Amino acid sequence: MQNHRWLRTPHGTPRRISYGADYNPEQWPREVWDEDIRLMKQAGVDVVSVAIFSWAALQPAEDRWDFAWLDEVIDLLHANGIGVDLATATASPPPWLTTAHPEVLPQTADGATVWPGGRQHWRPTSPVFRRHALALVEKLAERYADHPGIVAWHVSNELGCHNAYDYSDDAARAFRAWLQARYGTIDRLNHAWGTAFWSQRYGSFDEIRPPRRSYAFPNPTQQLDFARFSSDALKDHLIAEREILNRITPDIPVTTNFMIMGETRHADYADWAHEIDFVSNDHYVTEGRDELAFSAALTSGVARHRPWFLMEHSTSAVNWQPINRPKRTNELVRDSLTHVAHGADAVCYFQWRQSAAGAEKYHSSMVPHGGEDTRVYREVERLGGLLRRLDPVAGSDRDRSPVAILFDWDSWWASELDSHPTDRLRYRREALDWWTALLNAGVRADVLPTDADLSGYRLVIAPVLYAVPQGLRARLEDYVRGGGHLVATYFSGIVDEDDRVWLGGYPGAFRELLGIRVEEFRPLWDGETIGLSIGVRGDLWSEPVDLVADDVEVLAAYTDDDLAGGPAVTWRPVGAGAAAYVSTRLGADGLGAVLPTLLERAGVASELPEPLRGTVELAVRRAGDRRIRFLINRTDDAVRLDGIEGEYLVGGPDLPPRGVAVVG
């Protein structure tokens, strides 16, 4: 990251855990604004994001601008002590722009045009869109450069949420330039892509197109490079806006909201994080509270454990799932404080006031359709009071855990390409299973990009680390020989950064380190499982594992079919450390039978009393020498925090269902 800068605050104002939402006053009559201010102050709101989807309101026509309403809103908020995270408003082009310039509209892999009517209908590589968008950014920056109410710049919104993959001619030209910069020569590209196969050899970069619809599997490295390019194209747009903001308003920090959540994988956020002053993230619950905690920990890893901004989440139900249920008692508070536990110094929602019209009118907000006399708004007020008690946490880093889980976007993209041993593999699912298994064991973990510093971690888990360049291979070997304990899983170490197989047998890059060799993969059929000698069953994947080093210990063997008696989980001492291998998918519950041995040998023990392990998540932030512990009830039952000593900043020793206590 550049220099970690946080929201601007008035001189002498102490830093706090900020609280707020997206605010869309243009959706409401002027008389509602004063009511909004009253309710914001009542709830403890101190920051709102403004103008995110306001391009059409700010520029009603190409030659006409209207800033009067925004001037009034910003002045009103500032006069009442509420900071403005001002968006650049470039997230969706106005109708006049797409009517005059339909060439800015994206195209699908089939060549179909994506028409206006929703949002984000623009090509990341369109020079026409870029010109108009940057003109808007410059106007905003010049107008509000000296306004003391602006606490941060918010570039666009959820970049690539809908338009990450564009297959237009603009994208084709930009893709060719990106490939030429990456490979230098067409011969180098032909080698990396393996174009000797299927008569795909290119004579020049001009012959290359995006991986549009084809009769058979598109070239896999072309697909991987297009994923990388698409992430970089969006990042380039982010940088273009940032450069204008930095030039005109160098004292105002710049951020953009990531989407580290669920299966959203279009952007390499670990790479993007270097381009902004502080990391912001949007998160919506899709798979339960363990996924929420995992995503928060990954956001912290991407932010290098510095404080980050929770830009969006929901107070209750969303509108975009097939069935949208409201949150249960304590979930609004628990979800928010879980993000704070993992490093968030700002807690914000989409949105402040629930819309009366439009596609998101059934999405919950801080002020529901029913107004302030509602369960949700009362919970919003309660959370505002709790956050004030946590102001001593503001500015502190997330405390380093004893265990790290590696997360790699290249492996995510590449491991789930077509024409693989199985199309059922889900990269993020395996990482999440290890996270949940560690929570069940009462052990804290960090989730880190692969370029993170691993020194000090006793155990590093690399789930489905499919793509392993030579440099990463060497770093992990050095980590083990220096005393670290590494766990690799099935389908790890298989290819290099060009998606070319590490030859000599699987798991390729890790074969010698692990002291094993696999000749063939043996994926499992849907519904098929395979037994292990430790009393659990694997699914999805299995392998005939051969031991090629004398010092490899078998921790679990297969018990079924033609793999019966063969190694399933292995462990090998290497230098001052050790390397283990898990050759099947065990799920969170099955990993519970493997983890105790791996943790014990790595010297990792739970910091929680025995009765709390599995029911309570522990997350820690560190302010100087002070450790602030967050104890989060993962269950729907009440829990007594016996054995936890210290001053309770939030909650008490009796945790209600889905409750949170914070101990300083």
Side-chain angles (χ1 to χ4, degrees):
M1 204 176 300
Q2 295 175 325
N3 295 314
H4 182 84
R5 297 195 295 166
W6 191 244
L7 305 177
R8 294 199 306 174
T9 57
H11 181 69
T13 302
R15 184 156 166 175
R16 57 184 277 172
I17 303 293
S18 285
Y19 190 38
D22 287 5
Y23 182 41
N24 300 291
E26 66 270 37
Q27 295 181 14
W28 300 96
R30 174 61 184 84
E31 59 267 20
V32 175
W33 300 2
D34 293 325
E35 176 74 355
D36 287 334
I37 295 296
R38 180 183 71 80
L39 293 176
M40 286 180 189
K41 294 171 74 173
Q42 186 170 290
V45 166
D46 70 310
V47 63
V48 291
S49 297
V50 177
I52 290 173
F53 290 104
S54 300
W55 192 342
L58 294 170
Q59 190 180 11
E62 184 169 2
D63 59 352
R64 187 155 53 92
W65 298 87
D66 180 8
F67 291 103
W69 68 272
L70 185 56
D71 291 346
E72 185 175 3
V73 165
I74 293 175
D75 288 345
L76 180 65
L77 291 164
H78 178 59
N80 285 276
I82 300 167
V84 174
D85 169 47
L86 185 57
T88 56
T90 57
S92 290
W96 64 259
L97 177 55
T98 54
T99 299
H101 298 284
E103 68 270 24
V104 306
L105 298 171
Q107 291 184 341
T108 68
D110 291 317
T113 297
V114 178
W115 296 100
R119 67 177 195 173
Q120 281 194 337
H121 39 280
W122 54 277
R123 301 176 183 178
T125 57
S126 167
V128 175
F129 177 82
R130 180 74 60 89
R131 183 174 71 251
H132 285 276
L134 296 187
L136 171 60
V137 174
E138 187 140 6
K139 283 273 190 180
L140 283 165
E142 289 173 345
R143 188 172 190 91
Y144 300 108
D146 298 321
H147 200 298
I150 310 303
V151 299
W153 285 109
H154 179 133
V155 170
S156 192
N157 185 71
E158 294 182 339
L159 280 161
C161 176
H162 303 289
N163 64 335
Y165 302 115
D166 169 44
Y167 298 83
S168 67
D169 287 343
D170 282 337
R173 284 187 287 273
F175 186 38
R176 293 181 196 116
W178 184 92
L179 291 170
Q180 190 152 12
R182 179 176 178 85
Y183 292 107
T185 68
I186 197 66
D187 288 341
R188 173 70 185 90
L189 179 142
N190 280 315
H191 175 77
W193 285 18
T195 57
F197 188 76
W198 278 356
S199 188
Q200 291 179 349
R201 185 184 182 280
Y202 293 100
S204 73
F205 286 98
D206 290 339
E207 297 171 2
I208 300 173
R209 296 177 177 83
R212 294 166 175 160
R213 185 71 64 194
S214 61
Y215 275 125
F217 303 120
N219 182 294
T221 312
Q222 180 186 17
Q223 292 185 72
L224 176 58
D225 273 346
F226 190 70
R228 291 165 169 157
F229 155 76
S230 297
S231 176
D232 281 355
L234 290 162
K235 183 182 71 171
D236 184 65
H237 183 88
L238 162 64
I239 292 170
E241 291 200 19
R242 183 205 67 198
E243 288 301 286
I244 291 174
L245 298 171
N246 283 348
R247 170 171 55 83
I248 300 172
T249 61
D251 295 330
I252 303 177
V254 178
T255 191
T256 192
N257 44 340
F258 295 172
M259 298 181 69
I260 297 177
M261 54 171 283
E263 291 296 317
T264 304
R265 61 176 190 167
H266 63 269
D268 182 348
Y269 289 126
D271 176 45
W272 285 29
H274 298 288
E275 307 300 339
I276 50 182
D277 289 307
F278 59 87
V279 166
S280 299
N281 194 53
D282 294 355
H283 185 275
Y284 293 93
V285 177
T286 56
E287 302 174 58
R289 64 91 40 217
D290 286 354
E291 189 281 328
L292 183 154
F294 174 84
S295 292
L298 177 54
T299 305
S300 178
V302 165
R304 311 295 168 169
H305 293 169
R306 298 294 295 130
W308 51 276
F309 194 124
L310 177 61
M311 190 70 77
E312 287 186 28
H313 66 315
S314 66
T315 56
S316 192
V318 297
N319 68 295
W320 41 264
Q321 295 179 0
I323 298 173
N324 298 291
R325 290 279 291 267
K327 291 186 176 181
R328 297 175 295 171
T329 302
N330 291 330
E331 283 188 323
L332 182 152
V333 170
R334 184 189 68 179
D335 289 356
S336 298
L337 294 189
T338 298
H339 289 288
V340 175
H342 290 286
D345 264 10
V347 172
C348 288
Y349 292 99
F350 178 83
Q351 58 182 324
W352 166 249
R353 182 178 287 275
Q354 192 169 8
S355 298
E360 294 183 296
K361 59 181 173 289
Y362 296 116
H363 193 295
S364 61
S365 67
M366 296 179 81
V367 181
H369 288 149
E372 64 179 304
D373 186 18
T374 54
R375 177 186 65 86
V376 167
Y377 183 76
R378 285 189 287 272
E379 281 291 282
V380 163
E381 280 192 293
R382 182 165 80 92
L383 176 59
L386 294 176
L387 292 177
R388 295 290 61 75
R389 300 186 205 170
L390 295 179
D391 283 342
V393 176
S396 65
D397 293 349
R398 186 171 174 276
D399 194 35
R400 178 181 288 237
S401 303
V403 177
I405 299 172
L406 296 185
F407 196 91
D408 177 52
W409 270 265
D410 270 4
S411 289
W412 193 0
W413 291 329
S415 66
E416 296 185 21
L417 289 172
D418 49 38
S419 63
H420 276 197
T422 178
D423 68 359
R424 306 298 199 264
L425 184 148
R426 294 295 176 266
Y427 172 84
R428 201 175 192 271
R429 179 77 253 170
E430 183 67 23
L432 180 56
D433 283 344
W434 282 93
W435 170 264
T436 298
L438 288 163
L439 287 184
N440 292 341
V443 173
R444 290 189 298 124
D446 295 341
V447 187
L448 303 177
T450 53
D451 65 349
D453 179 9
L454 302 180
S455 60
Y457 287 100
R458 299 175 192 170
L459 179 67
V460 170
I461 300 167
V464 191
L465 191 59
Y466 172 76
V468 179
Q470 176 59 45
L472 178 57
R473 176 191 190 183
R475 286 183 59 238
L476 291 175
E477 287 183 353
D478 289 345
Y479 164 77
V480 172
R481 296 185 188 282
H485 290 246
L486 175 70
V487 179
T489 75
Y490 62 93
F491 217 38
S492 290
I494 306 302
V495 301
D496 64 12
E497 65 271 28
D498 294 329
D499 199 34
R500 294 182 66 92
V501 171
W502 285 90
L503 299 177
Y506 315 121
F510 300 138
R511 188 180 65 248
E512 294 180 7
L513 179 67
L514 294 164
I516 63 171
R517 186 170 184 265
V518 174
E519 294 184 18
E520 292 183 292
F521 306 121
R522 188 178 180 273
L524 301 179
W525 305 115
D526 289 343
E528 182 184 11
T529 63
I530 189 165
L532 273 65
S533 59
I534 53 177
V536 297
R537 301 190 70 81
D539 64 8
L540 180 80
W541 196 279
S542 64
E543 294 173 349
V545 177
D546 295 320
L547 308 184
V548 296
D550 295 336
D551 53 355
V552 177
E553 180 181 349
V554 177
L555 299 183
Y558 288 113
T559 60
D560 292 348
D561 302 328
D562 54 346
L563 294 186
V569 181
T570 64
W571 184 86
R572 184 191 185 206
V574 180
Y581 186 66
V582 180
S583 64
T584 184
R585 185 177 75 177
L586 295 174
D589 291 339
L591 289 172
V594 172
L595 260 180
T597 298
L598 300 176
L599 291 168
E600 181 181 5
R601 294 188 180 194
V604 177
S606 174
E607 300 166 68
L608 290 170
E610 175 67 35
L612 301 182
R613 298 172 194 172
T615 60
V616 170
E617 177 189 356
L618 171 66
V620 181
R621 294 184 64 168
R622 181 179 291 275
D625 294 332
R626 184 182 184 187
R627 296 176 81 243
I628 301 169
R629 291 164 291 165
F630 290 73
L631 298 127
I632 305 159
N633 188 350
R634 301 168 64 212
T635 75
D636 295 332
D637 300 315
V639 174
R640 174 75 184 178
L641 297 177
D642 290 326
I644 303 297
E645 298 180 355
E647 175 190 359
Y648 281 84
L649 303 178
V650 168
D654 292 306
L655 269 186
R658 303 175 293 278
V660 179
V662 184
V663 182

